[in-house]
């Protein structure tokens, strides 16, 4: 079974540019989460989808971040325009249910904003 | 919301020694406490978890203990091996009706051969 896949693995952009990260969850997992880890800090929650609906986006930093999950399959996270503080590793995770315990993570997309 | 503190940030041990990583949480209603291991360049993966109705859980060389009164839980690794070297994250969830885990800052464990 394929795991959670994320693309790109690493992106280097300049301040003011736009970047779109993509996540393909495990097939059949209704729950999809985005997290971000800034160097040396916690893995911080950004938002949660159930199928195509945003259930909780309380962790989204500001309106420069836009997440979508069209059709309840893959998800994209767009940062526009990117700022220096947006640098970090963006993790996507999925789970079959909401209270089933384990989150299945992707390998992360490292974003560097110069 | 939930707040999880994790210590130490870095832990260096000799092969064969034990390693202990400690976490505290703020929401007394949290009831699920997973631990994830992230090897260099790889994805975080669940290695062990504990629910609030038990105080300790073991799986071979790793164990987790939970003290609900004090709101802290710990990961114990015995007979460490170089392949245990990784970043370990604790998390807590279930408080406030939210099942979304809140993570700690991570502990970088280095096991020297």
């Amino acid at each position: 079974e394929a795991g959670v896949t994320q693309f790109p693995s690493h992106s280097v952009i300049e301040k003011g540019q736009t970047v779109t990260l993509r996540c393909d969850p495990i097939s059949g997992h209704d729950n999809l989460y985005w997290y971000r880890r800034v160097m040396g800090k916690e893995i911080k929650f950004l938002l949660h989808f159930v199928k195509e609906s945003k259930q909780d986006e309380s962790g989204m930093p500001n309106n420069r971040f836009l997440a979508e999950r069209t059709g309840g399959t893959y998800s994209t996270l767009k940062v526009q325009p990117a700022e220096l503080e947006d640098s970090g590793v963006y993790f996507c995770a999925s789970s079959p249910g909401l209270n089933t315990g384990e989150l299945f993570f992707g390998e992360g997309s490292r974003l560097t904003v110069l | 919301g939930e707040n999880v503190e994790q210590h130490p940030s870095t832990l260096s041990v000799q092969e064969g020694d034990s390693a202990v990583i400690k976490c505290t949480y703020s929401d007394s209603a949290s009831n699920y406490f997973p631990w994830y291991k992230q090897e260099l360049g790889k994805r975080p993966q669940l290695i062990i978890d504990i629910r609030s109705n038990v105080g300790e859980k073991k799986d071979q060389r790793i164990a987790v203990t939970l003290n609900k009164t004090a709101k802290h839980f710990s990961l114990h690794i015995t007979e460490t091996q170089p392949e245990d070297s990784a970043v370990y994250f604790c998390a807590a969830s279930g408080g406030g009706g939210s099942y979304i885990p809140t993570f700690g800052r991570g502990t970088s464990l280095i096991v020297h051969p």
Side-chain angles (χ1 to χ4, degrees):
Chain A
E1 178 182 282
V4 176
T5 57
Q6 292 187 244
F7 182 84
S9 57
H10 192 187
S11 181
V12 181
I13 62 173
E14 293 190 349
K15 176 182 173 180
Q17 290 187 319
T18 297
V19 64
T20 300
L21 310 177
R22 171 170 171 147
C23 170
D24 286 77
I26 292 172
S27 177
H29 282 194
D30 286 343
N31 293 273
L32 186 149
Y33 313 80
W34 283 99
Y35 282 86
R36 176 175 71 179
R37 187 181 190 220
V38 174
M39 179 71 77
K41 298 196 173 181
E42 73 273 25
I43 299 177
K44 188 175 180 193
F45 170 75
L46 297 178
L47 87 159
H48 168 224
F49 284 98
V50 176
K51 297 185 179 178
E52 67 276 8
S53 299
K54 292 178 187 174
Q55 289 294 109
D56 183 348
E57 51 184 330
S58 60
M60 294 288 264
N62 50 60
N63 59 10
R64 294 185 294 101
F65 289 73
L66 175 64
E68 295 180 321
R69 191 182 182 194
T70 307
T73 54
Y74 71 91
S75 174
T76 58
L77 179 63
K78 179 191 287 188
V79 184
Q80 179 182 31
E83 298 289 343
L84 299 179
E85 63 265 26
D86 301 332
S87 296
V89 180
Y90 290 78
F91 288 104
C92 175
S94 70
S95 68
L98 190 54
N99 190 27
T100 53
E102 182 175 5
L103 297 189
F104 295 84
F105 280 87
E107 294 189 345
S109 291
R110 180 177 295 278
L111 174 63
T112 303
V113 183
L114 303 176
Chain B
E2 176 66 275
N3 182 51
V4 176
E5 299 287 338
Q6 182 173 349
H7 300 280
S9 57
T10 305
L11 181 58
S12 183
V13 301
Q14 288 295 129
E15 182 177 0
D17 288 350
S18 295
V20 180
I21 302 170
K22 299 182 179 181
C23 290
T24 61
Y25 60 99
S26 61
D27 190 338
S28 56
S30 289
N31 57 17
Y32 176 65
F33 307 91
W35 286 87
Y36 287 80
K37 174 184 180 182
Q38 185 184 16
E39 297 179 39
L40 190 63
K42 297 189 177 180
R43 68 193 70 212
Q45 290 189 298
L46 180 74
I47 54 171
I48 195 167
D49 56 12
I50 191 168
R51 295 190 183 271
S52 59
N53 56 345
V54 298
E56 183 175 5
K57 184 176 178 180
K58 288 184 179 179
D59 182 2
Q60 299 182 353
R61 295 186 298 106
I62 61 174
V64 58
T65 59
L66 171 65
N67 183 327
K68 286 213 64 173
T69 303
K71 290 189 287 188
H72 68 70
F73 56 112
S74 300
L75 178 71
H76 304 253
I77 306 174
T78 59
E79 300 172 26
T80 54
Q81 301 168 5
E83 52 265 37
D84 295 329
S85 297
V87 179
Y88 292 80
F89 294 94
C90 64
S93 67
S98 173
Y99 297 109
I100 297 172
T102 299
F103 286 86
R105 290 188 167 211
T107 296
S108 178
L109 174 64
I110 303 166
V111 180
H112 299 280

